[in-house]
Amino acid sequence: TVVMMVGLQGAGKTTNGAKLAGLMKRSQGKRPLLAACDVYRPAAITQLQVVGKQLDIPVFEMGQANPVEIARSAISYAKSNGFDMVFLDTAGRLHIDEKLMDELKSIKETVHPNEILLVVDAMTGQDAVSAATDEALGIDGVLLTKLDGDARGGAALSIRAATGKPIKFVGTGEKLDMIELFHPDRMASRILGMGDVLSLIEKAEQRYDEKKAAELEEKLKKNRFSLTDYLDQTQQLRGMGDLS
């Protein structure tokens, strides 16, 4: 499966492409490969290698070669080395840039990605929408990033309205595991200021340690609950993120 990540510069494409690859590895048991197709931004390749290393996902790069060639080579490398997903990290553009758009189209025509995901920063609002409506490329879906900020997700409404394409994933924080499937109903309750309890429950399930809970129960029964236990509990709670 070939996934092509596109979007404006600074939307978090490199990091979130890697996060998505990490999510596929963790939740679906996939073997993803990251391909460095951004040859213009200084240190873009290094950035991809750094996040790839943290997530233990290999990175395919050919330095400053032709991005179309890099994409093609990455896919054939993946096929011959047992990878089942390739994430193409393409160059971000500052606005609708003809040259870059043509390059993205060439990559699309050459490797026929199964999925083209537009990475959009929830904080940018209107710019994000104009990037999304640039349909020359034909995107399949949206990955909305930086939803941990104050943006309650109004951008989600504008982008959906502008593109008619589904929002598939959301980045919810800086850490590399902070990415999740997009749930429209939960976003609606966030926009309406009603909080998102379901995501909180899911997070709690991921962080909850059954063994510890059983030990704690025993301690409470025997009246041996100490300050250390209390600290431990508080830390588990804090691990779930901001209480507000």
Side-chain angles (χ1 to χ4, degrees), residues 216 219 224-235:
L216 205 59
K219 282 183 174 178
R224 287 210 321 265
F225 184 77
S226 67
L227 275 172
T228 316
D229 298 322
Y230 177 62
L231 177 67
D232 200 39
Q233 260 195 328
T234 315
Q235 280 167 342

Side-chain angles (χ1 to χ4, degrees), residues 82-130:
F83 293 98
D84 48 17
M85 288 191 93
V86 179
F87 288 84
L88 304 175
D89 180 37
T90 64
R93 52 192 202 282
L94 290 165
H95 48 83
I96 295 171
D97 174 328
E98 287 299 310
K99 184 171 161 284
L100 265 174
M101 282 311 296
D102 291 342
E103 181 184 286
L104 293 175
K105 282 184 218 164
S106 306
I107 294 179
K108 181 183 176 178
E109 282 155 21
T110 308
V111 303
H112 306 295
N114 304 76
E115 190 85 13
I116 298 179
L117 284 182
L118 178 75
V119 180
V120 174
D121 177 344
M123 310 295 260
T124 52
Q126 225 34 59
D127 285 350
V129 176
S130 47

Side-chain angles (χ1 to χ4, degrees), residues 18 61 159 207:
E61 57 97 8
I159 287 157
R207 307 265 171 188

Side-chain angles (χ1 to χ4, degrees), residues 14-90:
T14 301
T15 313
N16 283 280
K19 276 184 179 181
L20 189 54
L23 180 71
M24 291 300 151
K25 184 179 170 177
R26 282 194 309 279
S27 64
Q28 308 288 326
K30 299 283 182 197
R31 283 199 67 204
L33 176 71
L34 297 167
C37 301
D38 179 356
V39 297
Y40 306 103
R41 186 166 61 91
I45 298 174
T46 316
Q47 188 191 345
L48 194 62
Q49 286 168 329
V50 169
V51 285
K53 191 173 177 202
Q54 288 172 342
L55 288 159
D56 196 23
I57 296 171
V59 173
F60 180 90
E61 57 97 8
M62 289 162 59
Q64 311 295 308
N66 176 342
V68 181
E69 215 25 70
I70 297 173
R72 186 191 288 134
S73 306
I75 292 161
S76 61
Y77 175 83
K79 281 178 180 164
S80 53
N81 287 277
F83 293 98
D84 48 17
M85 288 191 93
V86 179
F87 288 84
L88 304 175
D89 180 37
T90 64

